[in-house]
């Protein structure tokens, strides 16, 4: 049985994280979780438009790269990769099961999640899978801290969440596909 | 199931048993101040802007320790001041918050040992022994069990220190009326000539000046010194030689101490105050501590709380956060706490030093000197006729 990294210590780390991320830093994003059951798919299992659940505001830490511009025959593309780091406890509290393909709105931009990292274990142990915990042989040890979402900025008009081209018929301006 | 341990919730409600030792738990003032101090400390540590990773019991514990530390320091200084006055007194006394009279107990305690050695009192018992002297024999062994008797102790086994032998010339007054003395008084003849010689004792009718008696004593003693063998003795180790060689059997008495009693360092009965560890000072009643003391206690409780918080935040040098890690201010808190504790203790010790009897007397002396120097400058009235 380990001496350090017990449930008590993990509780302390959790408290510090919650205070830091929820109260001190307090950068909130809107998380758009893909509503897979509601998204229609075609003959080939593809969907032409995506349906999302109502966005959920979640505090997180953001590591954003510089904006890069590429040009091709279609014109100039601006893109940017960003890493959104969530406290896993917060996601659990809000019943969010993050997956690749979900979207994050931050700073008026949408980021599509490309990859999810779930391997930041304090003390090297994930209490959900650590055998001592699972089989109730020891007290709780370790702490699964975060969910890291690697994303890239995406075009708003691909999402059908916001009306991006506004004509003269302002009465129809409303969010779509929610 | 994750362990969920709450931290400072913003307020608390003290209940007896919430402290570790429970010295003051039933003191109403302590109960009231415990919650107020806890709140004050938490807010001084950043709450509610920041979480304070301590629980109410931590603050209560710091508060209790601060009260105890304050009482301990005050008691130690009182003990230092009064030690000589209470040395050897019963440990069943309670000197806490009591004025200890400035008596001579300690001085007398030391003086007794000197007095014991020179037979002017002291704490040693002076016993009486005797030697049966045999006619014609001048040398005796003090350990001879057939001749020597001790009031207390064993002649054969106990070492003694002889303080005095009673072997002196018979006192002159015993032979004041010795008809064979040869010093002559002439009073009997004179009384006979008046016809009072048949009354007995005839000298009852004589009124002589005091110097006549003194002169007669001196004459007897001078006569003994010149014409008779001098009384004396020589005592070496266990061997006693007496002069003059006895012409009859008699008993010589002597005074002695038992060496075992003289050398016994534990003559004071058990249960007596001997050192700092058993001077009967106990924890103070919180309700008796004034506001000066209470403010010190609050500050010290804060320093202790800061120290505990520093320990909590400093257990792990860095704490992971999503995709990164941070360093908490545990080391800073510990350093600050140590500095504050040292400063508070130094302040209290200096204050207590200034309250010692010696310091107070020096202050009064300085006051008196200053007052005199002021008064001396006030012009005296000049009366003119």
């Amino acid at each position: 049985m380990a001496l350090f990294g017990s449930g008590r210590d993990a509780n302390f780390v959790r408290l510090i994280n919650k205070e830091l991320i929820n109260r001190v830093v307090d950068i909130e994003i809107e998380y758009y979780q893909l509503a897979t059951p509601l998204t229609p798919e075609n003959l080939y299992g593809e969907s032409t438009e995506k349906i999302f659940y109502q966005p959920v505001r979640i505090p997180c830490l953001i590591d954003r790269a510089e904006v890069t511009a590429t040009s091709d025959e279609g014109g100039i593309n601006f893109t940017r990769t960003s890493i959104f780091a969530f406290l896993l406890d917060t996601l659990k509290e809000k019943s969010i099961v993050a997956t690749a393909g979900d979207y994050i709105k931050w700073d008026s931009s949408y980021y599509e999640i490309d990859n999810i990292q779930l391997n930041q274990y304090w003390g090297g142990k994930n209490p959900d899978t650590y055998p001592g915990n699972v089989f109730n042989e020891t007290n709780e040890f370790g702490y699964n801290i975060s969910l890291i979402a690697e994303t890239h900025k995406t075009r708003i008009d691909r999402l059908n969440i916001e009306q991006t081209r506004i004509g003269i018929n302002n009465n129809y301006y409303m969010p779509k596909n929610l | 199931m994750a362990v969920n341990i709450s931290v400072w919730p913003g307020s608390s409600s003290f209940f007896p048993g919430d402290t570790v030792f429970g010295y003051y738990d039933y003191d109403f003032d302590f109960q009231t101040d415990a919650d107020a101090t806890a709140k004050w400390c938490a807010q001084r540590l950043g709450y509610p802007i920041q979480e304070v990773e301590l629980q109410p019991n931590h603050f209560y514990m710091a508060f209790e320790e601060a009260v105890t530390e304050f009482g301990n320091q005050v008691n130690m200084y009182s003990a230092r001041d009064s030690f000589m006055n209470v040395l050897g007194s019963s440990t069943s006394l309670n000197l806490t918050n009591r004025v200890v009279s400035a008596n001579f107990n300690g001085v007398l305690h030391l003086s007794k040992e000197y007095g014991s050695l020179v037979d002017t009192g002291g704490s040693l018992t002076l016993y009486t022994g005797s030697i049966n002297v045999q006619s014609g024999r001048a040398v005796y062994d003090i350990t001879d069990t057939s001749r020597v008797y001790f009031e207390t102790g064993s002649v054969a086994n106990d070492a003694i220190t002889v303080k005095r032998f009673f072997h002196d010339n018979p006192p002159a007054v015993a032979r004041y009326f010795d008809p064979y003395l040869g010093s002559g008084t002439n009073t009997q003849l004179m009384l006979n000539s008046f016809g009072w010689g048949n009354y007995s004792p005839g000298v009852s009718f004589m009124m002589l000046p005091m110097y006549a008696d003194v002169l007669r004593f001196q004459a007897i003693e001078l006569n003994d010194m010149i014409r008779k063998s001098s009384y004396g003795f020589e005592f070496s180790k266990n061997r006693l030689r007496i002069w003059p060689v006895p012409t009859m059997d008699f008993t010589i008495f002597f005074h002695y101490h038992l060496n075992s009693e003289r050398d016994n360092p534990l003559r004071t009965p058990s249960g007596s105050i001997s050192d700092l560890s058993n001077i009967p000072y106990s924890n103070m009643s919180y309700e008796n501590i004034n506001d000066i003391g209470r403010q010190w206690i609050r500050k010290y409780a804060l320093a202790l709380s800061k120290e505990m918080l520093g320990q909590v935040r400093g257990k792990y040098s860095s704490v992971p956060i999503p995709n990164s890690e941070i360093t908490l201010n545990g080391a800073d808190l510990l350093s600050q706490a140590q500095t504050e504790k040292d400063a508070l203790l130094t302040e209290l010790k200096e204050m207590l030093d200034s309250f010692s009897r010696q310091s107070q007397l020096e202050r009064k002396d300085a006051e008196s000197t200053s007052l005199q120097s002021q008064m001396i400058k006030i012009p005296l009235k000049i009366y003119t006729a």
Side-chain angles (χ1 to χ4, degrees), chain A:
Chain A
M1 188 176 77
L3 290 175
F4 279 48
S6 69
R8 283 180 174 275
D9 293 352
N11 179 68
F12 172 72
V13 175
R14 183 182 298 115
L15 284 173
I16 295 293
N17 271 280
K18 281 189 173 179
E19 183 185 6
L20 179 75
I21 295 169
N22 297 356
R23 293 181 56 192
V24 178
V25 178
D26 195 24
I27 300 172
E28 282 188 328
I29 55 92
E30 290 173 37
Y31 193 92
Y32 288 82
Q33 194 171 8
L34 196 62
T36 312
L38 304 177
T39 302
E41 56 187 41
N42 59 20
L43 181 65
Y44 307 104
E46 298 167 341
S47 59
T48 53
E49 56 180 24
K50 296 176 178 177
I51 307 295
F52 301 94
Y53 292 114
Q54 286 286 343
V56 179
R57 289 162 67 176
I58 304 172
C60 67
L61 298 176
I62 303 170
D63 182 10
R64 55 192 183 277
E66 298 295 322
V67 175
T68 56
T70 56
S71 64
D72 53 22
E73 61 275 12
I76 297 175
N77 268 329
F78 293 98
T79 188
R80 169 190 238 180
T81 57
S82 291
I83 295 174
F84 293 83
F86 300 96
L87 194 60
L88 194 58
D89 283 340
T90 306
L91 293 179
K92 287 179 180 175
E93 286 167 11
K94 295 180 182 290
S95 301
I96 299 289
V97 180
T99 55
D102 290 347
Y103 285 85
I104 293 167
K105 183 183 181 185
W106 175 71
D107 195 23
S108 301
S109 300
Y110 288 85
Y111 294 82
E112 182 179 351
I113 297 176
D114 301 320
N115 193 17
I116 296 286
Q117 299 285 354
L118 263 173
N119 63 353
Q120 192 183 5
Y121 302 146
W122 184 60
K125 300 180 186 70
N126 179 0
D128 297 329
T129 58
Y130 184 56
N133 291 357
V134 173
F135 298 113
N136 290 324
E137 292 167 353
T138 63
N139 295 325
E140 183 186 322
F141 275 90
Y143 178 40
N144 191 358
I145 300 166
S146 65
L147 182 144
I148 312 296
E150 297 171 0
T151 67
H152 71 275
K153 188 175 177 180
T154 188
R155 291 178 176 166
I156 298 175
D157 57 357
R158 289 181 56 199
L159 303 179
N160 290 326
I161 293 175
E162 292 183 21
Q163 188 73 276
T164 54
R165 292 186 176 85
I166 300 172
I168 56 171
N169 193 356
N170 286 332
N171 293 333
Y172 293 102
Y173 175 67
M174 59 182 294
K176 294 170 63 183
N177 297 333
L178 294 179

Side-chain angles (χ1 to χ4, degrees), chain B residues 338-349:
Chain B
Q338 192 59 47
T339 305
E340 287 173 18
K341 278 168 60 180
D342 289 347
L344 283 165
L345 283 172
T346 303
E347 176 193 343
L348 182 61
K349 285 175 180 176

Side-chain angles (χ1 to χ4, degrees), chain B residues 30-42:
Chain B
F30 182 86
Q31 292 175 359
T32 309
D33 281 4
D35 287 323
T37 303
K39 188 174 183 181
W40 180 73
C41 288

Side-chain angles (χ1 to χ4, degrees), chain B residues 278-308:
Chain B
N278 63 2
I279 297 184
Y281 281 99
S282 53
N283 286 324
M284 293 181 172
S285 294
Y286 182 74
E287 63 180 357
N288 292 337
I289 298 174
N290 61 15
D291 285 343
I292 300 170
R294 290 186 186 190
Q295 179 61 11
W296 188 94
I297 287 166
R298 278 190 284 270
K299 286 181 177 176
Y300 200 75
L302 174 62
L304 291 172
S305 303
K306 199 173 278 189
E307 187 178 53
M308 283 188 282

